[in-house]
Each structure stands twice: as C-alpha cells, then as structure tokens.
C-alpha cells in the first residue's frame, strides 16, 4: 500500500495522475493482507507484524 501511495504522489507531482487508476489501486490495497493485519493489531492494541 505504501508503494501505491508513493506512486500516486509521484504521478501527481509530474502532472500524470490517472485518478481512476489511483482509486483502483487504493481499493485494491484495502483488501490486502497488510490492512487486515493493521486493523487486527489496532483492535488488539499491539504493533502490527508485516
């Protein structure tokens, strides 16, 4: 998810941001294992294990 965020920032800085593509990358990242672990760790009040 961090890579997708960096990509969007770089595309925006270059004036090449495809909003639909960035939105799809965001939606995809919300279904990944990283976000699931982050939410679980937050609920359990512990550091995430990526």
């Amino acid at each position: 998810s961090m890579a997708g965020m960096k990509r969007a920032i770089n595309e925006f800085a270059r004036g090449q941001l495809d909003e639909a593509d960035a939105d799809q990358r965001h939606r995809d990242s919300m279904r990944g294992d990283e976000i699931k672990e982050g939410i679980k760790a937050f609920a359990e009040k512990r550091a995430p294990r990526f």
Side-chain angles (χ1 to χ4, degrees), residues 34-46:
E34 288 180 352
I35 193 72
K36 291 174 187 174
E37 169 59 14
I39 292 169
K40 184 177 178 183
F42 180 80
E44 295 173 356
K45 298 183 177 163
R46 63 172 174 80

Side-chain angles (χ1 to χ4, degrees), residues 12-30:
F12 179 78
R14 292 185 197 111
Q16 301 172 340
L17 180 64
D18 180 339
E19 289 186 38
D21 190 38
D23 184 55
Q24 186 60 49
R25 287 193 307 260
H26 173 261
R27 291 175 188 277
D28 292 343
S29 74
M30 296 305 288

